[in-house]
Amino acid sequence: MDCCSPSNNTQEVNINCPSCGEKGRNVQLITLKSLLKASVLETIEPENTYVFCSSPNCSTVYFSGNHSQIFSESDLKMPVYQKNLGFDVPVCYCFGWTRERLIQAAGTDQKPAADQIKVHVQAGRCGCEVNNPQGACCLGNVNAFVRGIKEV
Ligand SMILES: [Zn+2]
């Protein structure tokens, strides 16, 4: 499994979110199958393209490429980093780095979280497509969040 290699990352698609108008990123069907609640999963159409909206101000998490379906955070089994500012929300879903854990770690002299995560990624242990609602590697989010902590 090589979900964090650049070649295998999700791609920006020319399909705008029906709720906020921003461009979304393609997600694989396996991501929805892993993360949607059962009652919602029963409604997906596997022939559809599904797209992830990362806008923090938009409540839509996934939408179908033909705009016939919209799924919001409450349709998922877990909180969505881009949509939920809670401290207990994961930034790195595979290895359990919540905002709270990243903030705590940033105040210590342990190896930076991103470096710890990279070791696991390089060892082939990550499974972003089934763990992370964005269906892609979290390292960009982790780096951006940690930079934000240091600026405070
Ligand atoms: Zn949106």
Side-chain angles (χ1 to χ4, degrees):
M1 205 54 69
D2 209 11
C3 54
C4 289
S5 78
S7 61
N8 208 12
N9 249 332
T10 58
Q11 292 178 352
E12 197 168 87
V13 289
N14 274 324
I15 306 174
N16 294 338
C17 172
S19 310
C20 70
E22 296 287 325
K23 268 188 194 136
R25 285 187 169 266
N26 220 348
V27 281
Q28 297 177 63
L29 206 54
I30 189 70
T31 306
L32 277 76
K33 287 180 174 176
S34 305
L35 301 179
L36 289 177
K37 289 178 181 167
S39 60
V40 183
L41 185 59
E42 288 174 349
T43 70
I44 67 167
E45 301 289 350
E47 66 272 19
N48 277 345
T49 298
Y50 286 97
V51 182
F52 177 79
C53 172
S54 62
S55 310
N57 298 321
C58 176
S59 63
T60 294
V61 177
Y62 301 121
F63 54 92
S64 61
N66 61 10
H67 286 184
S68 64
Q69 289 184 303
I70 288 177
F71 302 120
S72 57
E73 191 186 20
S74 60
D75 294 326
L76 278 78
K77 296 174 193 165
M78 56 183 50
V80 178
Y81 170 68
Q82 287 86 348
K83 313 289 181 179
N84 188 321
L85 292 173
F87 281 103
D88 54 348
V89 175
V91 185
C92 168
Y93 285 78
C94 296
F95 305 110
W97 286 91
T98 60
R99 284 191 180 93
E100 187 171 34
R101 187 176 168 203
L102 286 171
I103 291 167
Q104 281 168 355
T108 69
D109 54 9
Q110 65 172 268
K111 197 167 154 185
D115 292 349
Q116 296 186 46
I117 295 165
K118 262 182 223 158
V119 170
H120 297 307
V121 168
Q122 279 159 8
R125 298 183 182 120
C126 58
C128 313
E129 75 278 40
V130 294
N131 292 319
N132 189 330
Q134 73 183 14
C137 188
C138 67
L139 278 171
N141 296 339
V142 170
N143 284 325
F145 183 76
V146 169
R147 268 199 306 276
I149 300 169
K150 286 175 182 157
E151 282 162 14
V152 170

